[in-house]
């Protein structure tokens, strides 16, 4: 099990940038695949991006070219750099972890979740 704490959310104007961080506890962090999901009011939680233990990355089509997921194993932290933000990116963003990733974008694949951080993009 790994504990996850997100930070970096906030209010930003359309076109702006934010970098989310997810700090993980546990000595086996490097073995986990990590994902970012988001949930807007009245909508289901959706996949945003993921990075495997080996560094392979995956993105939701709508964020490709704007968002970048990365990880720093020495700091036990995964990041989500978000550029060219749009009002439709407004949501609570969650960090998640799994040791056994088979379906990248499926929330049920992830065993551990953070508490979420709010991102609000104004028009």
């Amino acid at each position: 099990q790994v504990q996850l704490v997100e930070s970096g959310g906030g209010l930003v104007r359309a076109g702006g940038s934010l970098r989310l961080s997810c700090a993980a506890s546990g000595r086996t962090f490097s073995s986990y695949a990590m994902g970012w999901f988001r949930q807007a009011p009245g909508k289901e939680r959706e996949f945003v991006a993921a990075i495997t233990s080996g560094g392979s990355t995956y993105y939701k089509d709508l964020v490709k070219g704007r968002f970048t997921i990365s990880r720093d194993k020495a700091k036990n932290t995964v990041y989500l750099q978000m550029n060219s933000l749009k009002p439709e990116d407004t949501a609570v963003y969650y960090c998640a972890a799994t040791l056994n990733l088979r379906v990248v974008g499926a929330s049920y694949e992830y065993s551990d979740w953070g508490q979420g951080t709010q991102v609000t993009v104004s028009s």
Side-chain angles (χ1 to χ4, degrees):
Q1 188 177 8
V2 61
Q3 284 73 48
L4 305 171
V5 179
E6 302 98 332
S7 61
L11 174 63
V12 64
R13 291 184 177 179
S17 299
L18 283 174
R19 188 177 80 157
L20 304 183
S21 299
C22 174
S25 64
R27 293 179 293 177
T28 60
F29 170 74
S30 61
S31 300
Y32 281 80
M34 303 296 296
W36 286 98
F37 289 76
R38 67 187 183 187
Q39 187 167 18
K43 296 187 177 181
E44 294 186 354
R45 189 171 299 188
E46 64 177 6
F47 169 75
V48 176
I51 185 167
T52 68
S53 59
S56 298
T57 57
Y58 303 86
Y59 297 94
K60 177 183 176 66
D61 285 346
L62 288 176
V63 307
K64 283 181 181 178
R66 299 190 298 123
F67 291 10
T68 303
I69 188 171
S70 61
R71 67 191 300 165
D72 185 333
K73 291 184 177 181
K75 295 183 177 180
N76 277 14
T77 301
V78 64
Y79 304 98
L80 185 68
Q81 178 67 44
M82 304 186 295
N83 299 328
S84 301
L85 282 162
K86 305 175 181 180
E88 50 264 42
D89 294 318
T90 295
V92 177
Y93 282 71
Y94 297 90
C95 176
T98 180
L99 283 172
N100 187 19
L101 184 62
R102 291 159 297 183
V103 182
V104 171
S107 60
Y108 59 78
E109 289 281 328
Y110 296 80
S111 55
D112 301 288
W113 292 81
Q115 82 289 348
T117 186
Q118 177 71 47
V119 171
T120 303
V121 184
S122 63
S123 57

